[in-house]
């Protein structure tokens, strides 16, 4: 895992923050089209808009991403998430303050994830490596869904 840590951290940073200032290329996102800037560009009303029957809102994707981050961070000794996979998709009633807090909580969990990855020993159990590495495509999936849903708000 030690050999993969720098690459994983670069790619996670890109999915959450976008391309760093001064860098003239990307690995998979375009510019600032990342989770944090995308969520910050939305009001609570827009984030909570359900585009159609059976389609999760941006807020639901954000709430689920928070749950998933807490899940992987549990592997690093941080508190496990409350609820379960299905309940993480249920949107709480929220206003601008709750929407802002949800974004802050995602940022906190991202920072914990980075710390957990940085502190990983060179040799780790396969399940820990799998769950840690799986966070990248999982978050990239939600970024893609959020970006597509933003076209409808």
């Amino acid at each position: 895992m030690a050999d993969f840590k720098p690459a994983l951290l670069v790619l996670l940073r890109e999915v959450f923050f976008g391309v760093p200032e001064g860098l003239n290329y990307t690995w998979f996102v375009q510019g600032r089209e990342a989770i944090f800037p995308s969520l910050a560009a939305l009001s609570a009303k827009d984030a909570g808009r359900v585009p159609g029957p059976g389609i999760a809102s941006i807020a639901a994707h954000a709430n689920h991403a928070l749950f998933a981050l807490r899940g992987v961070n549990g592997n690093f000794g941080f508190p496990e998430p409350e609820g379960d996979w299905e309940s993480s998709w249920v949107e709480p009633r929220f206003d601008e303050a709750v929407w802002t807090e949800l974004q802050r909580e995602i940022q906190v969990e991202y920072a914990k994830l980075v710390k957990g990855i940085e502190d990983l020993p060179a040799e780790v159990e396969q399940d820990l490596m799998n769950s840690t590495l799986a966070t990248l495509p999982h978050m990239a999936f939600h970024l893609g869904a959020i970006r597509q849903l933003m076209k409808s708000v």
Side-chain angles (χ1 to χ4, degrees), residues 10-11 28-29 38 41 44-45 50 84 88 100 116 131 134 141 144 150:
V10 164
L11 296 174
F28 65 96
V29 302
S38 295
K45 180 181 175 186
V50 176
D84 58 25
S88 71
T100 299
S131 69
F141 166 80
M150 287 177 76

Side-chain angles (χ1 to χ4, degrees), residues 62-82:
N63 198 53
H64 177 75
L66 175 62
F67 174 84
L69 286 170
R70 286 180 172 156
V72 73
N73 286 341
N75 295 326
F76 302 124
F78 295 107
E80 293 283 337
E82 294 180 16

